[in-house]
Amino acid sequence: MSDTITFDDFLKVDIRVGKVIAAEEFPEARKPAYKMQIDFGPEIGIKKTSAQITKHYTPETLVGRQVMAVVNFPPRQIGPVMSEVLTLGVPDEDGEVVLLRPDLDVPIGGRLY
């Protein structure tokens, strides 16, 4: 378990729901990954990212899917891609990423609370 944080610490992490609008193979990545564009609505806009999620997903199954992502980390260079958000997931029994998403479709851009 991680160190205890305050509620104010939690509020500093801006986690939003977005919709994947584009996904493609990322052959330049060291480990199998996809490049994605995620729409977070008019306030945040479309952001780019990459994710090592090839075990359970294909580009075709990602497009149109709602995902949860941290939108207020600084951009990070991952090979030739500037990743602007961190898409969230949890490990399955083999340690492979399973993406987090709302149970129901919700308006994009909504903040986790």
Side-chain angles (χ1 to χ4, degrees), residues 21-104:
I21 60 169
E24 61 183 291
E25 302 280 337
F26 186 10
E28 303 90 353
R30 281 183 267 155
K31 294 182 180 179
Y34 296 130
K35 295 185 277 189
M36 297 186 292
Q37 292 183 35
I38 304 172
D39 186 357
F40 291 96
E43 181 184 346
I44 297 170
I46 297 169
K47 300 292 181 180
K48 294 179 282 184
T49 191
S50 69
Q52 296 172 357
I53 55 174
T54 59
K55 180 72 174 181
H56 296 298
Y57 307 97
T58 65
E60 296 78 23
T61 61
L62 288 166
V63 173
R65 179 185 199 87
Q66 289 194 326
V67 295
M68 301 300 297
V70 177
V71 299
N72 65 333
F73 283 153
R76 182 175 177 197
Q77 191 75 43
I78 301 177
V81 172
M82 183 62 74
S83 183
E84 300 173 299
V85 298
L86 175 65
T87 309
L88 300 175
V90 294
D92 68 9
E93 61 277 353
D94 296 322
E96 299 291 341
V97 178
V98 176
L99 293 172
L100 296 181
R101 66 178 180 173
D103 281 345
L104 306 172

Coordinates of all heavy atoms in Angstrom, one line a residue, residues 21-104:
I21 N -10.9 8.2 -29.9 CA -11.3 8.5 -31.3 C -10.4 8.0 -32.3 O -10.8 7.9 -33.5 CB -11.5 10.1 -31.5 CG1 -10.3 10.8 -31.2 CG2 -12.7 10.5 -30.5 CD1 -10.3 12.3 -31.6
A22 N -9.2 7.6 -32.0 CA -8.2 7.0 -32.9 C -7.3 6.1 -32.1 O -6.9 6.4 -31.0 CB -7.5 8.0 -33.7
A23 N -6.9 5.0 -32.7 CA -6.0 4.1 -32.1 C -5.2 3.3 -33.2 O -5.8 3.0 -34.2 CB -6.6 3.1 -31.2
E24 N -3.9 3.2 -33.0 CA -3.1 2.5 -34.0 C -1.9 1.8 -33.4 O -1.5 2.1 -32.3 CB -2.7 3.5 -35.1 CG -1.8 4.6 -34.6 CD -1.4 5.6 -35.7 OE1 -0.6 5.2 -36.6 OE2 -1.9 6.7 -35.6
E25 N -1.3 0.9 -34.1 CA -0.1 0.2 -33.7 C 1.0 1.2 -33.4 O 1.0 2.3 -34.1 CB 0.4 -0.8 -34.7 CG -0.6 -1.9 -35.1 CD -0.7 -3.0 -34.1 OE1 0.2 -3.2 -33.3 OE2 -1.8 -3.6 -34.1
F26 N 1.9 0.9 -32.5 CA 3.0 1.8 -32.1 C 4.3 0.9 -32.3 O 4.9 0.5 -31.3 CB 2.8 2.3 -30.7 CG 3.8 3.3 -30.3 CD1 4.7 3.9 -31.1 CD2 3.8 3.7 -28.9 CE1 5.6 4.9 -30.7 CE2 4.7 4.7 -28.5 CZ 5.6 5.2 -29.3
P27 N 4.7 0.7 -33.5 CA 5.9 -0.3 -33.7 C 7.2 0.2 -33.1 O 8.1 -0.6 -32.9 CB 5.9 -0.4 -35.2 CG 5.2 0.8 -35.8 CD 4.2 1.2 -34.7
E28 N 7.3 1.6 -32.9 CA 8.6 2.1 -32.4 C 8.7 1.9 -30.9 O 9.8 2.1 -30.3 CB 8.7 3.6 -32.7 CG 8.6 4.0 -34.1 CD 7.1 4.2 -34.6 OE1 6.2 4.0 -33.8 OE2 6.9 4.7 -35.7
A29 N 7.7 1.5 -30.2 CA 7.7 1.3 -28.8 C 8.6 0.1 -28.4 O 8.6 -0.9 -29.2 CB 6.3 1.1 -28.2
R30 N 9.2 0.1 -27.2 CA 10.1 -1.0 -26.8 C 9.2 -2.2 -26.5 O 9.6 -3.3 -26.8 CB 10.9 -0.6 -25.6 CG 12.1 0.2 -25.9 CD 12.9 0.5 -24.7 NE 12.4 1.8 -24.1 CZ 12.5 2.2 -22.9 NH1 13.0 1.5 -22.0 NH2 12.0 3.4 -22.5
K31 N 8.0 -2.1 -25.9 CA 7.1 -3.2 -25.7 C 5.9 -2.9 -26.5 O 5.6 -1.8 -26.8 CB 6.7 -3.2 -24.2 CG 7.9 -3.5 -23.3 CD 7.4 -3.6 -21.8 CE 8.6 -3.9 -20.9 NZ 8.1 -4.0 -19.5
P32 N 5.1 -4.0 -26.9 CA 3.9 -3.8 -27.7 C 3.0 -2.7 -27.1 O 2.7 -2.8 -25.9 CB 3.3 -5.2 -27.7 CG 4.4 -6.1 -27.5 CD 5.4 -5.4 -26.6
A33 N 2.6 -1.8 -27.9 CA 1.7 -0.7 -27.5 C 0.9 -0.1 -28.6 O 1.2 -0.4 -29.8 CB 2.6 0.4 -26.8
Y34 N -0.1 0.7 -28.2 CA -0.9 1.5 -29.2 C -0.7 3.0 -28.9 O -0.5 3.4 -27.8 CB -2.3 1.1 -29.1 CG -2.7 -0.3 -29.4 CD1 -3.5 -1.0 -28.5 CD2 -2.3 -0.9 -30.5 CE1 -3.8 -2.3 -28.7 CE2 -2.6 -2.2 -30.8 CZ -3.4 -3.0 -29.9 OH -3.7 -4.3 -30.2
K35 N -0.8 3.7 -30.0 CA -0.9 5.2 -29.9 C -2.4 5.5 -30.0 O -3.1 4.9 -30.8 CB -0.2 5.9 -31.1 CG 1.3 5.7 -31.1 CD 1.9 6.5 -32.2 CE 1.8 5.7 -33.5 NZ 2.6 6.4 -34.6
M36 N -2.9 6.4 -29.2 CA -4.3 6.7 -29.1 C -4.5 8.2 -29.1 O -3.7 9.0 -28.6 CB -5.0 6.1 -27.9 CG -5.0 4.6 -27.9 SD -5.9 4.0 -26.5 CE -4.9 4.5 -25.1
Q37 N -5.6 8.7 -29.6 CA -6.1 10.0 -29.4 C -7.4 9.9 -28.7 O -8.3 9.1 -29.0 CB -6.4 10.7 -30.8 CG -5.1 11.0 -31.5 CD -5.4 11.7 -32.8 OE1 -6.3 12.6 -32.9 NE2 -4.6 11.5 -33.8
I38 N -7.5 10.7 -27.6 CA -8.7 10.6 -26.7 C -9.3 12.0 -26.6 O -8.7 13.0 -26.3 CB -8.3 10.1 -25.3 CG1 -7.6 8.7 -25.4 CG2 -9.5 10.0 -24.4 CD1 -7.0 8.3 -24.1
D39 N -10.7 12.0 -26.8 CA -11.4 13.3 -26.8 C -12.0 13.4 -25.4 O -12.7 12.6 -24.9 CB -12.5 13.3 -27.8 CG -13.3 14.6 -27.9 OD1 -13.0 15.5 -27.1 OD2 -14.2 14.7 -28.7
F40 N -11.6 14.5 -24.7 CA -12.1 14.8 -23.3 C -13.1 16.0 -23.3 O -13.4 16.6 -22.3 CB -10.9 15.2 -22.4 CG -10.0 14.0 -22.1 CD1 -8.9 13.8 -22.9 CD2 -10.3 13.1 -21.2 CE1 -8.1 12.7 -22.7 CE2 -9.6 12.0 -20.9 CZ -8.4 11.8 -21.7
G41 N -13.6 16.3 -24.5 CA -14.6 17.4 -24.6 C -14.0 18.7 -24.8 O -12.8 18.9 -24.8
P42 N -14.9 19.8 -24.9 CA -14.4 21.1 -25.2 C -13.5 21.8 -24.2 O -12.6 22.5 -24.6 CB -15.7 21.9 -25.4 CG -16.8 21.1 -24.7 CD -16.3 19.7 -24.7
E43 N -13.6 21.5 -22.9 CA -12.7 22.1 -21.9 C -11.2 21.7 -22.1 O -10.3 22.5 -22.0 CB -13.2 21.8 -20.5 CG -12.4 22.4 -19.4 CD -12.8 22.0 -18.0 OE1 -13.9 21.5 -17.9 OE2 -12.0 22.3 -17.1
I44 N -11.0 20.4 -22.3 CA -9.7 19.8 -22.4 C -9.2 19.5 -23.8 O -8.1 19.7 -24.2 CB -9.6 18.6 -21.5 CG1 -9.9 19.0 -20.1 CG2 -8.3 17.8 -21.7 CD1 -10.1 17.8 -19.1
G45 N -10.2 19.0 -24.6 CA -9.9 18.8 -26.0 C -9.4 17.3 -26.3 O -9.5 16.5 -25.4
I46 N -8.7 17.2 -27.4 CA -8.2 15.9 -27.8 C -6.8 15.8 -27.4 O -6.0 16.7 -27.7 CB -8.3 15.7 -29.3 CG1 -9.8 15.7 -29.7 CG2 -7.7 14.4 -29.8 CD1 -10.1 15.8 -31.2
K47 N -6.4 14.7 -26.7 CA -5.1 14.5 -26.2 C -4.5 13.2 -26.8 O -5.2 12.2 -27.0 CB -5.0 14.4 -24.7 CG -5.5 15.7 -24.0 CD -4.6 16.8 -24.3 CE -5.0 18.1 -23.6 NZ -4.1 19.2 -23.8
K48 N -3.2 13.1 -26.9 CA -2.5 11.9 -27.4 C -1.9 11.2 -26.3 O -1.4 11.8 -25.3 CB -1.4 12.3 -28.4 CG -1.9 12.9 -29.7 CD -0.8 13.3 -30.6 CE -0.2 14.6 -30.1 NZ 0.9 15.2 -30.9
T49 N -1.8 9.9 -26.4 CA -1.1 9.0 -25.4 C -0.7 7.7 -26.1 O -1.1 7.4 -27.2 CB -2.0 8.8 -24.2 OG1 -1.3 8.2 -23.2 CG2 -3.2 7.9 -24.6
S50 N 0.1 6.9 -25.4 CA 0.4 5.6 -25.8 C 0.1 4.7 -24.6 O 0.2 5.1 -23.4 CB 1.8 5.4 -26.3 OG 2.7 5.6 -25.2
A51 N -0.2 3.4 -24.8 CA -0.5 2.5 -23.8 C -0.1 1.1 -24.2 O -0.3 0.7 -25.3 CB -1.9 2.6 -23.4
Q52 N 0.5 0.3 -23.2 CA 0.8 -1.1 -23.4 C -0.4 -1.9 -23.1 O -0.5 -2.6 -22.0 CB 2.0 -1.5 -22.6 CG 3.3 -0.7 -23.0 CD 4.4 -0.9 -22.0 OE1 4.3 -1.6 -21.0 NE2 5.5 -0.3 -22.3
I53 N -1.4 -2.0 -24.0 CA -2.6 -2.6 -23.8 C -3.0 -3.6 -24.9 O -4.2 -3.9 -25.1 CB -3.8 -1.6 -23.6 CG1 -3.8 -0.6 -24.8 CG2 -3.6 -0.8 -22.3 CD1 -5.0 0.3 -24.7
T54 N -2.0 -4.2 -25.5 CA -2.2 -5.0 -26.7 C -2.7 -6.4 -26.4 O -3.2 -7.1 -27.3 CB -0.9 -5.1 -27.5 OG1 0.1 -5.7 -26.7 CG2 -0.5 -3.8 -28.0
K55 N -2.6 -6.8 -25.1 CA -3.1 -8.2 -24.8 C -4.6 -8.3 -24.9 O -5.1 -9.3 -25.4 CB -2.6 -8.5 -23.4 CG -3.0 -9.9 -22.9 CD -2.2 -11.0 -23.6 CE -2.5 -12.3 -23.0 NZ -1.7 -13.4 -23.6
H56 N -5.4 -7.3 -24.4 CA -6.8 -7.4 -24.4 C -7.6 -6.6 -25.4 O -8.8 -6.7 -25.5 CB -7.3 -7.1 -23.0 CG -6.8 -8.0 -21.9 ND1 -7.2 -9.3 -21.9 CD2 -6.1 -7.8 -20.8 CE1 -6.6 -9.9 -20.8 NE2 -5.9 -9.0 -20.2
Y57 N -6.8 -5.7 -26.1 CA -7.5 -4.8 -27.0 C -6.8 -4.7 -28.4 O -5.7 -5.0 -28.5 CB -7.4 -3.4 -26.4 CG -8.0 -3.3 -24.9 CD1 -7.1 -3.4 -23.9 CD2 -9.3 -3.2 -24.7 CE1 -7.6 -3.3 -22.5 CE2 -9.8 -3.2 -23.4 CZ -8.9 -3.3 -22.3 OH -9.4 -3.3 -21.0
T58 N -7.6 -4.3 -29.3 CA -7.1 -4.0 -30.7 C -7.5 -2.6 -31.0 O -8.4 -2.0 -30.3 CB -7.8 -4.9 -31.7 OG1 -9.2 -4.6 -31.8 CG2 -7.6 -6.4 -31.4
P59 N -6.8 -2.0 -32.0 CA -7.2 -0.6 -32.3 C -8.7 -0.5 -32.6 O -9.4 0.5 -32.2 CB -6.4 -0.3 -33.5 CG -5.1 -1.1 -33.3 CD -5.7 -2.4 -32.7
E60 N -9.3 -1.5 -33.2 CA -10.7 -1.5 -33.6 C -11.6 -1.5 -32.4 O -12.7 -0.9 -32.3 CB -11.0 -2.6 -34.5 CG -10.3 -2.6 -35.9 CD -8.9 -3.1 -35.8 OE1 -8.5 -3.8 -34.9 OE2 -8.1 -2.6 -36.7
T61 N -11.2 -2.3 -31.3 CA -12.1 -2.3 -30.1 C -11.9 -1.1 -29.2 O -12.7 -0.9 -28.4 CB -11.8 -3.6 -29.3 OG1 -10.5 -3.7 -28.9 CG2 -12.1 -4.9 -30.1
L62 N -10.8 -0.4 -29.4 CA -10.6 0.8 -28.6 C -11.3 2.0 -29.1 O -11.8 2.8 -28.3 CB -9.1 1.1 -28.6 CG -8.2 0.2 -27.8 CD1 -6.7 0.4 -28.1 CD2 -8.5 0.3 -26.3
V63 N -11.5 2.2 -30.4 CA -12.2 3.4 -30.9 C -13.6 3.3 -30.5 O -14.3 2.3 -30.6 CB -12.0 3.4 -32.5 CG1 -12.9 4.5 -33.1 CG2 -10.6 3.6 -32.9
G64 N -14.0 4.5 -29.9 CA -15.4 4.6 -29.4 C -15.6 4.2 -27.9 O -16.6 4.5 -27.3
R65 N -14.5 3.7 -27.4 CA -14.6 3.2 -26.0 C -14.3 4.4 -25.0 O -13.4 5.2 -25.3 CB -13.5 2.1 -25.8 CG -13.4 1.6 -24.4 CD -12.1 0.6 -24.3 NE -12.3 -0.2 -23.2 CZ -12.9 -1.4 -23.1 NH1 -13.5 -1.8 -24.2 NH2 -13.0 -2.1 -22.0
Q66 N -15.0 4.4 -23.9 CA -14.8 5.4 -22.9 C -13.7 4.9 -22.0 O -13.6 3.7 -21.7 CB -16.0 5.7 -22.1 CG -17.0 6.6 -22.9 CD -18.1 7.2 -22.0 OE1 -18.5 6.6 -21.0 NE2 -18.6 8.3 -22.4
V67 N -12.7 5.8 -21.6 CA -11.6 5.4 -20.7 C -11.5 6.5 -19.7 O -12.0 7.6 -19.8 CB -10.3 5.3 -21.5 CG1 -10.4 4.1 -22.5 CG2 -9.9 6.5 -22.2
M68 N -10.7 6.2 -18.6 CA -10.4 7.1 -17.6 C -8.9 7.5 -17.7 O -8.1 6.6 -18.0 CB -10.7 6.5 -16.2 CG -12.1 6.1 -15.9 SD -13.3 7.5 -16.1 CE -12.8 8.5 -14.8
A69 N -8.6 8.7 -17.5 CA -7.2 9.1 -17.7 C -6.9 10.3 -16.8 O -7.7 11.2 -16.5 CB -6.9 9.5 -19.1
V70 N -5.6 10.4 -16.3 CA -5.1 11.6 -15.6 C -4.7 12.6 -16.7 O -4.0 12.3 -17.6 CB -3.9 11.2 -14.7 CG1 -3.3 12.5 -14.1 CG2 -4.2 10.1 -13.7
V71 N -5.3 13.8 -16.6 CA -5.1 14.8 -17.6 C -4.2 15.9 -17.2 O -3.9 16.8 -18.0 CB -6.5 15.3 -18.1 CG1 -7.3 14.2 -18.7 CG2 -7.2 16.1 -17.0
N72 N -3.7 15.9 -15.9 CA -2.9 17.1 -15.5 C -1.5 16.7 -15.1 O -0.8 17.4 -14.4 CB -3.6 17.8 -14.3 CG -3.8 17.0 -13.0 OD1 -3.8 15.8 -13.1 ND2 -3.8 17.7 -11.9
F73 N -1.0 15.6 -15.6 CA 0.5 15.3 -15.6 C 1.1 16.1 -16.7 O 0.5 16.3 -17.7 CB 0.8 13.8 -15.8 CG 0.5 12.9 -14.6 CD1 0.2 11.6 -14.8 CD2 0.5 13.4 -13.3 CE1 -0.1 10.8 -13.7 CE2 0.3 12.6 -12.2 CZ 0.0 11.2 -12.4
P74 N 2.4 16.5 -16.5 CA 3.1 17.1 -17.6 C 3.3 16.1 -18.8 O 3.4 14.9 -18.6 CB 4.5 17.5 -17.1 CG 4.6 16.7 -15.8 CD 3.3 16.3 -15.3
P75 N 3.3 16.6 -20.0 CA 3.5 15.7 -21.2 C 4.9 15.0 -21.0 O 5.8 15.5 -20.4 CB 3.6 16.6 -22.4 CG 2.9 17.9 -21.9 CD 3.1 18.0 -20.5
R76 N 4.9 13.7 -21.6 CA 6.1 12.9 -21.4 C 6.4 12.3 -22.8 O 5.5 11.7 -23.5 CB 5.8 11.8 -20.4 CG 7.0 10.9 -20.2 CD 6.6 9.9 -19.1 NE 7.7 9.0 -18.9 CZ 7.7 7.9 -18.2 NH1 6.5 7.5 -17.7 NH2 8.7 7.1 -18.1
Q77 N 7.7 12.4 -23.2 CA 8.1 11.8 -24.5 C 8.3 10.3 -24.3 O 9.0 9.8 -23.5 CB 9.5 12.5 -24.9 CG 9.9 12.1 -26.3 CD 9.1 12.9 -27.3 OE1 8.8 14.1 -27.1 NE2 8.6 12.3 -28.4
I78 N 7.5 9.6 -25.2 CA 7.7 8.1 -25.3 C 8.0 7.8 -26.7 O 7.1 7.7 -27.6 CB 6.4 7.4 -24.8 CG1 6.0 7.8 -23.4 CG2 6.5 5.9 -24.9 CD1 4.7 7.3 -22.8
G79 N 9.3 7.6 -26.9 CA 9.8 7.4 -28.3 C 9.4 8.6 -29.1 O 9.6 9.7 -28.7
P80 N 8.8 8.4 -30.3 CA 8.4 9.6 -31.1 C 7.1 10.2 -30.7 O 6.7 11.2 -31.3 CB 8.3 9.0 -32.5 CG 7.9 7.6 -32.3 CD 8.6 7.2 -31.0
V81 N 6.4 9.7 -29.7 CA 5.1 10.2 -29.3 C 5.2 11.1 -28.0 O 5.9 10.6 -27.0 CB 4.1 9.1 -29.1 CG1 2.8 9.6 -28.5 CG2 3.9 8.3 -30.4
M82 N 4.6 12.2 -28.0 CA 4.5 13.0 -26.8 C 3.2 12.6 -26.1 O 2.1 13.0 -26.6 CB 4.5 14.5 -27.1 CG 4.5 15.4 -25.9 SD 5.9 15.2 -24.8 CE 7.1 16.1 -25.7
S83 N 3.3 11.9 -25.0 CA 2.1 11.4 -24.3 C 1.6 12.6 -23.4 O 2.3 13.1 -22.6 CB 2.4 10.2 -23.5 OG 1.3 9.7 -22.8
E84 N 0.3 12.9 -23.6 CA -0.2 14.1 -22.9 C -1.1 13.7 -21.7 O -1.5 14.5 -20.9 CB -1.0 14.9 -23.9 CG -0.2 15.4 -25.0 CD -1.0 16.1 -26.1 OE1 -1.9 15.5 -26.7 OE2 -0.8 17.3 -26.3
V85 N -1.6 12.4 -21.6 CA -2.4 11.9 -20.6 C -2.0 10.5 -20.2 O -1.3 9.8 -20.9 CB -3.9 11.9 -20.9 CG1 -4.4 13.3 -21.2 CG2 -4.2 11.0 -22.1
L86 N -2.3 10.1 -19.0 CA -2.0 8.7 -18.5 C -3.4 8.0 -18.4 O -4.2 8.3 -17.6 CB -1.4 8.8 -17.1 CG -1.2 7.4 -16.5 CD1 -0.2 6.6 -17.3 CD2 -0.7 7.5 -15.1
T87 N -3.6 7.1 -19.4 CA -4.8 6.2 -19.4 C -4.7 5.2 -18.3 O -3.6 4.6 -18.1 CB -4.9 5.5 -20.8 OG1 -4.8 6.5 -21.8 CG2 -6.3 4.9 -20.9
L88 N -5.7 5.0 -17.5 CA -5.7 4.2 -16.3 C -6.2 2.8 -16.5 O -7.1 2.6 -17.3 CB -6.5 4.9 -15.2 CG -6.1 6.3 -14.8 CD1 -7.0 6.9 -13.8 CD2 -4.7 6.2 -14.2
G89 N -5.6 1.9 -15.8 CA -6.0 0.5 -15.9 C -5.5 -0.3 -14.7 O -4.8 0.3 -13.8
V90 N -5.9 -1.5 -14.6 CA -5.5 -2.4 -13.4 C -5.0 -3.7 -14.0 O -5.4 -4.1 -15.1 CB -6.6 -2.6 -12.4 CG1 -7.0 -1.3 -11.7 CG2 -7.9 -3.2 -13.1
P91 N -4.1 -4.4 -13.3 CA -3.6 -5.6 -13.9 C -4.6 -6.8 -13.7 O -5.3 -6.9 -12.7 CB -2.4 -5.9 -13.0 CG -2.6 -5.2 -11.7 CD -3.5 -4.0 -12.1
D92 N -4.6 -7.7 -14.8 CA -5.4 -8.9 -14.6 C -4.5 -9.9 -13.9 O -3.4 -9.6 -13.4 CB -5.9 -9.4 -16.0 CG -4.7 -9.9 -16.9 OD1 -3.6 -10.0 -16.5 OD2 -5.0 -10.1 -18.1
E93 N -4.9 -11.2 -13.9 CA -4.2 -12.2 -13.1 C -2.8 -12.5 -13.7 O -1.9 -13.0 -13.0 CB -5.0 -13.5 -13.0 CG -5.3 -14.1 -14.4 CD -6.5 -13.6 -15.1 OE1 -7.3 -12.7 -14.5 OE2 -6.8 -13.9 -16.2
D94 N -2.6 -12.1 -15.0 CA -1.3 -12.2 -15.6 C -0.4 -10.9 -15.6 O 0.6 -10.9 -16.2 CB -1.4 -12.8 -17.0 CG -2.1 -14.1 -17.1 OD1 -1.7 -15.0 -16.2 OD2 -2.9 -14.4 -18.0
G95 N -1.0 -9.9 -15.0 CA -0.3 -8.6 -15.0 C -0.5 -7.8 -16.2 O 0.1 -6.7 -16.4
E96 N -1.4 -8.2 -17.1 CA -1.8 -7.4 -18.3 C -2.8 -6.3 -18.0 O -3.7 -6.5 -17.1 CB -2.3 -8.3 -19.4 CG -1.3 -9.4 -19.8 CD -0.1 -8.9 -20.6 OE1 -0.2 -7.7 -21.1 OE2 0.9 -9.6 -20.6
V97 N -2.7 -5.2 -18.6 CA -3.6 -4.1 -18.3 C -5.0 -4.3 -18.8 O -5.3 -4.6 -19.9 CB -3.0 -2.8 -18.9 CG1 -3.9 -1.6 -18.7 CG2 -1.6 -2.5 -18.4
V98 N -5.9 -4.0 -17.9 CA -7.4 -3.9 -18.2 C -7.8 -2.4 -17.9 O -7.6 -1.9 -16.8 CB -8.2 -4.9 -17.3 CG1 -9.7 -4.7 -17.5 CG2 -7.8 -6.3 -17.5
L99 N -8.3 -1.8 -18.9 CA -8.6 -0.4 -18.8 C -9.8 -0.1 -17.9 O -10.7 -0.9 -17.8 CB -9.0 0.2 -20.2 CG -7.8 0.3 -21.2 CD1 -8.3 0.6 -22.6 CD2 -6.7 1.2 -20.7
L100 N -9.7 1.0 -17.2 CA -10.8 1.5 -16.4 C -11.8 2.3 -17.2 O -11.4 3.1 -18.1 CB -10.3 2.3 -15.2 CG -9.4 1.7 -14.2 CD1 -9.0 2.6 -13.1 CD2 -10.1 0.4 -13.6
R101 N -13.1 2.1 -17.0 CA -14.1 2.9 -17.7 C -15.4 2.9 -16.8 O -15.6 2.1 -16.0 CB -14.4 2.3 -19.0 CG -15.0 1.0 -19.0 CD -15.3 0.5 -20.4 NE -16.0 -0.8 -20.4 CZ -16.4 -1.4 -21.5 NH1 -16.4 -0.8 -22.6 NH2 -17.0 -2.6 -21.4
P102 N -16.2 3.9 -17.1 CA -17.5 4.0 -16.3 C -18.4 2.8 -16.7 O -18.3 2.2 -17.8 CB -18.2 5.3 -16.8 CG -17.1 6.1 -17.5 CD -16.1 5.1 -18.0
D103 N -19.3 2.3 -15.8 CA -20.2 1.3 -16.1 C -21.2 1.6 -17.2 O -21.7 0.8 -17.9 CB -21.0 0.9 -14.8 CG -20.2 0.0 -13.9 OD1 -19.2 -0.6 -14.3 OD2 -20.6 -0.1 -12.7
L104 N -21.6 2.9 -17.2 CA -22.5 3.4 -18.2 C -21.8 4.5 -19.0 O -20.9 5.1 -18.5 CB -23.7 4.0 -17.5 CG -24.5 3.1 -16.5 CD1 -25.5 3.9 -15.8 CD2 -25.1 1.9 -17.2

